[in-house]
């Protein structure tokens, strides 16, 4: 890798396997066997929230360590004691309690001291070192808690839309009518024709921001803060490489799946597949990257072209017309080849081999602040984004059965198994386990890892139909959604 | 702690024969009568002293259930030693030895040292497999043989250490390529040739024990 951050510096956290596996140093050492590739699962004595299943296996030798990381816990989100006045002030609370619905508010006041519990699952896939993934697996949850703390009281108050401006008296119009107007307009949906009886009291239109959008915003901010922390701390610690991040947060009856990178989440419900994430790779993000390079050509260090051609352009082709595409295109057109087009393309390679500036195959994630194009002074980081895509799933909208699950896995799984194959494996496996066996989801996760790793034959790891097994690190969560039924 | 060599072992045999108890007795010197079923694989490690050399044993304890066989098969790869365990009070566990042995031979390196262990020797009154039968099976298949009790710790040290001695002997005879990790042997990070002066050297290492110390 290009990054060679100060290796004299101490590690931020020692390398290890996910804390919830509870492995000793000796066990970590044993598990790092690239020849036998033991599948690690949760020990029987250990339980994850919701009886979540987990299994992992190390790569077949591409790196010394297993560079995937994971963490899972129940966070308590509580308004910060003595928080800076970022929540509606006392006055407005008092005034509101004189509303007809005073009882409900009384309840809320009491609940205010209690935290909201928030389930958290995370999966990171490191590259060019394990440092960033280890740090993110230890710290991202704190950033999430911190972001949620600021809005927890607003989220709990689900009957009232989030205030547009904190600390501002919401009563620019009489309190009652305004609240009603909002609720009514929510019910009637967007674009309902304004009834003539509604008083046109507003001076300008105001967007209605639903609660879940504040959670999405909090997660996006948390990813950004995590990335900034890694950037700051790399002057005092050795935080090597970068990582993708896929996390799930369950808050107030909804699942939020935030993904930055090429891991994947799918829900399997009644045998049906519901994708919960999309991957961010040089191919899927081509236009964003090309546009950035077009706007800021200095980022290419005079060595790359932001244009894409179906193959490398040769000098002897100067002056000829060749197919190309620019940031504004999904289709192709012909252009006359110029000198500049001979430079190496910003995005080159197909599928799993596609790279940004011949260096990295994943375009969102955390870390990588020191990553440079090999043998050059060109930084990759400006092209990488720490922003996750967040999808929301309302658990209350469906009565889930014991075999309805959310699968999270790193690309080691998805490189060799399709969504359909994973769904098929799960729908074969789970119904054959005792529904009361708390270990069934871990066994299902183990089954998936096994299907992706394969078995050792004379010519390497093989999976079904004699296909090549995945030689990558593989990590899988199987999260039963039936526990969501009890919420809300 | 540094070591001269690291040997990888794998423990195999039917469910309930005492594999996990043997491992716990060897690494922690305790017996835990009731504990969880091994699912998949668990690990243990301990330093032993053979011929004045510190040797780290890395032990893989596998699930005995048939349903895990396809998963655990690759774990033979890179094992220098295998403990093949049956329960002297349950004949069917003895009857299954052939199938275990086939599996082991097929998926391991040809030099792997296999120790046959008849466990639960403390339950003499419930014995279902004669010691002579174990000896005969071992002789027939070229295995080393011992009866052990994970409960009383009888012969447990010996079983692990005698296997290590046999591997060590093979190394000295040049039968193992110690530079090929697929053989289950690693050379320590820095060969520690000094005589055991430091307190750490004698801390956990076992003294040499004759192979016939008969407590059973
Ligand atoms: N009496 C006696 N019981 C044993 C001995 N070793 C194991 N056990 C018991 O046999 C059962 C199975 O042991 P375990 O180690 O889990 O077997 P595994 O499935 O092969 O790992 C447990 O209830 C142990 O307490 C032994 O040497 N003597
Ligand atoms: Mg066991």
């Amino acid at each position: 890798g290009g990054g060679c951050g100060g290796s004299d510096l101490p590690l931020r956290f020692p390398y290890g396997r996910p804390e919830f596996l509870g492995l000793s140093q000796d066990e970590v050492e044993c598990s790092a066997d690239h020849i036998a590739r033991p599948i690690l699962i949760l020990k029987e004595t250990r339980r994850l929230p919701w009886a979540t299943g987990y299994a992992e296996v190390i790569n077949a030798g591409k790196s010394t360590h297993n560079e995937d990381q994971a963490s899972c816990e129940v966070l308590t989100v509580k308004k910060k004691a003595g928080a800076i006045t970022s929540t509606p002030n006392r006055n407005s609370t008092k005034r509101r309690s004189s509303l007809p619905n005073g009882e409900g508010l009384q309840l809320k006041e009491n609940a205010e001291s209690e935290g909201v519990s928030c389930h958290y699952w995370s999966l990171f896939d490191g590259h060019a070192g394990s440092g960033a993934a280890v740090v993110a697996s230890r710290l991202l949850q704190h950033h999430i808690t911190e972001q949620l703390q600021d809005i927890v009281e607003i989220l709990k108050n689900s009957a009232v839309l989030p205030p547009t401006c904190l600390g501002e008296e919401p009563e620019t119009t009489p309190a009652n009518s305004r609240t009603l107007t909002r609720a009514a307009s929510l019910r009637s949906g967007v674009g309902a024709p304004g009834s003539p009886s509604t008083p046109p009291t507003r001076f300008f239109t105001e967007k209605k921001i639903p609660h879940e959008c504040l959670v999405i915003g909090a997660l996006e901010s948390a990813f950004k803060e995590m990335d900034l922390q890694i950037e700051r701390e790399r002057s005092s610690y050795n935080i090597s490489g970068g990582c993708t991040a896929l996390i799930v947060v369950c808050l107030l009856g909804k699942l939020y799946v935030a993904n930055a990178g090429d891991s994947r989440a799918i829900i399997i419900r009644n045998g049906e597949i519901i994708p919960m994430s999309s991957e961010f790779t040089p191919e899927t993000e081509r236009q964003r990257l090309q546009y950035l390079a077009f706007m800021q050509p200095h980022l290419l260090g005079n060595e790359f072209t932001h244009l894409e051609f179906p193959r490398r352009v040769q000098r002897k082709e100067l002056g000829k017309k060749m197919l190309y595409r620019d940031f504004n295109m999904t289709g192709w057109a012909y252009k006359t080849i110029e000198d500049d087009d001979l430079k190496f393309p910003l995005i080159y390679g197909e599928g799993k081999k596609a790279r940004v500036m011949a260096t990295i195959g994943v375009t969102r994630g955390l870390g990588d602040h020191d990553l440079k194009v090999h043998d050059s002074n060109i930084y990759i980081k400006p092209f990488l984004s720490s922003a996750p895509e967040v999808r929301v799933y309302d658990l209350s909208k469906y009565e889930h059965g014991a075999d309805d699950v959310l699968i999270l896995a790193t690309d080691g799984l998805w490189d060799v198994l399709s969504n359909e194959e994973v769904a098929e494996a799960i729908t074969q496996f789970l119904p054959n386990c005792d529904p009361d066996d708390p270990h069934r989801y871990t066994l299902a996760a183990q089954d998936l890892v096994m299907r992706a790793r394969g078995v050792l034959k004379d010519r390497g790891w093989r999976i079904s139909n004699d296909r090549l097994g995945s030689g990558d690190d593989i990590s899988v969560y199987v999260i039963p959604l039936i526990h969501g039924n009890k919420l809300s | 702690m540094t070591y001269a060599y690291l040997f990888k072992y794998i423990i195999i045999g039917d469910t309930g024969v005492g594999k996990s108890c043997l491992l716990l007795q060897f690494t922690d010197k305790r017996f835990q009568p009731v504990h969880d079923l091994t699912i998949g694989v668990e690990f243990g490690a301990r330093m032993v002293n053979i011929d004045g050399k510190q040797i780290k044993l890395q032990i893989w304890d596998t699930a005995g259930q048939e349903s895990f066989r396809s998963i655990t098969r690759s774990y033979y790869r890179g094992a220098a030693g295998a403990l093949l365990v049956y329960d002297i009070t349950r004949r069917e566990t003895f009857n299954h030895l052939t199938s275990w042995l086939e599996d082991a031979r097929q998926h391991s390196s040809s030099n792997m040292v296999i120790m046959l262990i008849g466990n639960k020797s403390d339950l003499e009154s419930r014995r279902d497999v004669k010691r002579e039968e174990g000896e005969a099976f071992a002789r027939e298949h070229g295995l080393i043989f011992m009866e052990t009790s994970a409960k009383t710790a009888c012969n447990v040290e010996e079983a692990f250490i005698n296997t290590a001695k046999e591997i060590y002997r093979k190394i000295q005879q040049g039968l193992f390529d110690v530079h090929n990790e697929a053989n289950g042997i690693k050379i320590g990070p820095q060969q520690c040739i000094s005589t055991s002066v430091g307190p750490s050297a004698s801390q956990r290492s076992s003294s040499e024990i004759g192979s016939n110390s008969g407590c059973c």
Side-chain angles (χ1 to χ4, degrees):
Chain A
C4 47
S7 45
D8 308 336
L9 297 172
L11 291 174
R12 181 69 165 86
F13 295 102
Y15 171 79
R17 296 317 305 147
E19 273 187 309
F20 58 68
L21 288 178
L23 300 184
S24 68
Q25 198 48 51
D26 272 328
E27 289 172 309
V28 170
E29 222 172 84
C30 290
S31 73
D33 186 320
H34 304 277
I35 298 167
R37 300 183 74 196
I39 298 175
L40 305 188
I41 55 181
L42 272 184
K43 293 180 183 171
E44 263 218 313
T45 45
R46 295 192 166 250
R47 298 268 187 275
L48 286 179
W50 289 11
T52 295
Y54 177 83
E56 64 168 48
V57 73
I58 196 166
N59 62 78
K62 73 163 196 180
S63 60
T64 319
H65 288 145
N66 181 340
E67 293 186 342
D68 287 357
Q69 290 295 340
S71 62
C72 174
E73 52 192 272
V74 182
L75 312 168
T76 305
V77 183
K78 210 170 168 178
K79 186 176 123 189
K80 260 187 230 158
I84 24 162
T85 50
S86 57
T87 43
N89 60 42
R90 284 287 132 197
N91 274 343
S92 68
T93 318
K94 260 191 208 131
R95 199 164 302 174
R96 269 190 285 136
S97 59
S98 61
L99 293 175
N101 193 10
E103 231 181 282
L105 280 168
Q106 204 51 51
L107 238 166
K108 246 165 246 146
E109 290 242 305
N110 291 340
E112 208 165 282
S113 49
E114 285 165 35
V116 170
S117 89
C118 162
H119 288 67
Y120 170 81
W121 297 261
S122 71
L123 206 50
F124 307 90
D125 181 347
H127 50 254
S130 48
V134 172
V135 169
S137 73
R138 301 294 194 101
L139 298 182
L140 180 56
Q141 57 271 50
H142 300 309
H143 287 288
I144 289 172
T145 308
E146 189 147 309
Q147 295 295 327
L148 290 175
Q149 273 172 352
D150 292 341
I151 53 169
V152 64
E153 292 309 318
I154 297 168
L155 296 176
K156 273 160 54 177
N157 194 3
S158 60
V160 179
L161 278 176
T164 299
C165 188
L166 289 179
E168 202 175 69
E169 297 297 318
E171 292 83 2
T172 36
T173 58
N176 278 343
S177 79
R178 180 181 165 109
T179 316
L180 281 174
T181 310
R182 279 185 158 175
S185 62
L186 252 188
R187 248 178 274 124
S188 60
V190 196
S195 80
S197 64
T198 314
T201 42
R202 273 179 228 138
F203 303 106
F204 46 85
T205 59
E206 189 170 321
K207 266 194 179 167
K208 293 173 182 60
I209 314 293
H211 287 86
E212 66 178 47
C213 288
L214 266 62
V215 179
I216 295 173
L219 296 177
E220 288 163 338
S221 303
F223 272 59
K224 171 124 208 243
E225 288 301 321
M226 183 72 254
D227 197 43
L228 289 172
Q229 185 182 6
I230 293 174
E231 181 176 30
R232 276 195 312 275
E233 295 197 348
R234 79 198 207 287
S235 59
S236 19
Y237 294 101
N238 173 17
I239 304 178
S240 62
C243 66
T244 69
L246 169 60
I247 64 133
V248 176
V249 160
C250 179
L251 186 67
L252 298 166
K254 284 180 179 165
L255 288 179
Y256 297 83
V257 180
N259 181 45
D262 59 0
S263 296
R264 186 184 297 170
I266 64 171
I267 283 174
I268 300 166
R269 193 180 69 191
N270 207 4
E272 181 200 344
I273 298 163
I274 305 168
M276 288 303 295
S277 69
S278 58
E279 288 92 61
F280 297 97
T281 66
E283 287 189 322
T284 65
E285 292 218 273
R286 174 183 61 84
Q287 287 176 285
R288 174 177 78 76
L289 303 177
Q290 283 184 309
Y291 184 62
L292 176 61
F294 168 75
M295 293 299 283
Q296 311 226 27
H298 69 275
L299 296 177
L300 298 176
N302 219 17
E303 288 195 29
F304 294 88
T305 168
H306 76 275
L307 296 181
E308 185 187 13
F309 299 93
R311 59 165 163 80
R312 282 304 304 276
V313 183
Q314 292 168 285
R315 179 156 290 280
K316 62 173 192 236
E317 289 166 328
L318 275 173
K320 290 189 180 164
K321 288 200 153 192
M322 187 180 276
L323 285 172
Y324 84 106
R325 44 181 185 175
D326 207 337
F327 67 83
N328 59 318
M329 306 163 75
T330 55
W332 298 79
Y334 289 98
K335 84 177 283 285
T336 307
I337 299 292
E338 305 161 43
D339 252 333
D340 255 7
D341 302 331
L342 297 176
K343 290 176 181 163
F344 199 87
L346 167 67
I347 292 159
Y348 188 67
E350 254 184 292
K352 278 313 272 185
K353 293 210 176 80
R355 293 282 180 278
V356 178
M357 295 198 280
T359 305
I360 191 169
V362 63
T363 51
R364 294 205 193 184
L366 307 167
D368 283 321
H369 297 92
D370 296 306
L371 185 62
K372 290 183 199 171
V373 175
H374 181 69
D375 246 355
S376 85
N377 234 344
I378 305 170
Y379 281 93
I380 302 285
K381 186 65 175 175
F383 290 93
L384 307 180
S385 166
S386 62
E389 177 204 36
V390 186
R391 295 197 193 177
V392 188
Y393 180 84
D394 192 340
L395 283 165
S396 64
K397 289 248 166 84
Y398 193 92
E399 185 79 8
H400 294 95
D403 299 344
D404 293 335
V405 292
L406 169 62
I407 311 274
L408 311 181
T410 51
D411 63 339
L413 183 87
W414 307 108
D415 283 351
V416 295
L417 297 181
S418 66
N419 290 357
E420 290 70 26
E421 285 172 302
V422 168
E424 201 185 309
I426 287 288
T427 46
Q428 268 174 29
F429 191 92
L430 284 178
N432 285 318
C433 299
D434 177 0
D436 295 324
D437 178 0
H439 238 67
R440 66 202 301 263
Y441 303 104
T442 278
L443 293 177
Q446 175 181 254
D447 182 60
L448 288 179
V449 171
M450 173 71 185
R451 284 170 187 264
R453 183 202 68 171
V455 293
L456 199 50
K457 299 249 174 87
D458 298 333
R459 289 174 301 112
W461 296 92
R462 293 290 153 146
I463 60 175
S464 62
N465 305 327
D466 210 38
R467 290 176 296 173
L468 217 54
S470 170
D472 203 353
D473 301 314
I474 310 167
S475 312
V476 178
Y477 279 110
V478 178
I479 305 170
L481 297 180
I482 195 165
H483 295 264
N485 294 350
K486 286 178 246 153
L487 305 170
S488 73
Chain B
M1 196 147 84
T2 62
Y3 50 82
Y5 292 108
L6 182 150
F7 297 166
K8 175 181 156 184
Y9 284 14
I10 178 168
I11 315 184
I12 51 175
D14 282 4
T15 301
V17 295
K19 298 183 295 296
S20 299
C21 287
L22 283 165
L23 176 60
L24 191 68
Q25 183 58 257
F26 180 65
T27 57
D28 281 30
K29 300 197 194 311
R30 63 194 171 92
F31 177 70
Q32 192 180 323
V34 191
H35 62 105
D36 289 311
L37 206 63
T38 313
I39 54 176
V41 63
E42 275 162 25
F43 308 105
R46 202 186 120 179
M47 209 70 93
V48 297
N49 190 300
I50 308 282
D51 260 12
K53 285 241 191 307
Q54 286 294 106
I55 292 176
K56 184 167 188 172
L57 301 185
Q58 200 179 71
I59 304 143
W60 296 38
D61 169 25
T62 60
Q65 299 99 298
E66 186 60 38
S67 56
F68 286 97
R69 289 283 267 274
S70 62
I71 295 175
T72 55
R73 237 165 231 145
S74 74
Y75 303 166
Y76 293 108
R77 274 284 167 109
L83 306 190
L84 171 54
V85 188
Y86 67 93
D87 177 348
I88 64 154
T89 70
R90 280 163 57 215
R91 175 156 295 272
E92 78 268 19
T93 67
F94 181 77
N95 293 341
H96 293 154
L97 288 177
T98 332
S99 126
W100 282 109
L101 196 59
E102 262 170 29
D103 229 30
R105 288 255 155 90
Q106 194 185 335
H107 296 97
S108 67
S109 111
S110 57
N111 278 316
M112 185 168 79
V113 172
I114 303 176
M115 163 75 78
L116 178 65
I117 290 177
N119 187 42
K120 309 198 186 177
S121 61
D122 56 293
L123 299 176
E124 191 55 50
S125 58
R126 285 162 49 191
R127 181 186 279 278
D128 199 17
V129 183
K130 289 200 210 76
R131 171 193 284 265
E132 292 72 30
E133 292 176 272
E135 281 169 350
F137 187 93
R139 210 176 314 115
E140 189 184 331
H141 294 95
L143 318 174
I144 330 174
F145 174 68
M146 294 195 104
E147 285 193 347
T148 63
S149 167
K151 186 175 179 182
T152 67
C154 171
N155 269 347
V156 173
E157 293 266 325
E158 291 80 348
F160 284 87
I161 287 169
N162 289 353
T163 309
K165 281 184 184 164
E166 181 61 17
I167 296 166
Y168 189 66
R169 196 180 59 78
K170 283 194 171 186
I171 291 174
Q172 291 189 312
Q173 289 178 346
L175 292 171
F176 268 125
D177 175 7
V178 293
H179 298 287
N180 181 356
E181 272 187 36
N183 281 327
I185 295 165
K186 261 193 254 182
I187 300 181
Q190 50 194 111
Q191 288 256 20
C192 138
I193 316 155
S194 66
T195 49
S196 51
V197 193
S200 59
S202 55
Q203 220 171 37
R204 279 266 255 159
S205 66
S206 35
S207 50
E208 296 213 15
I209 303 159
S211 50
N212 280 331
S213 63
C215 56
C216 296

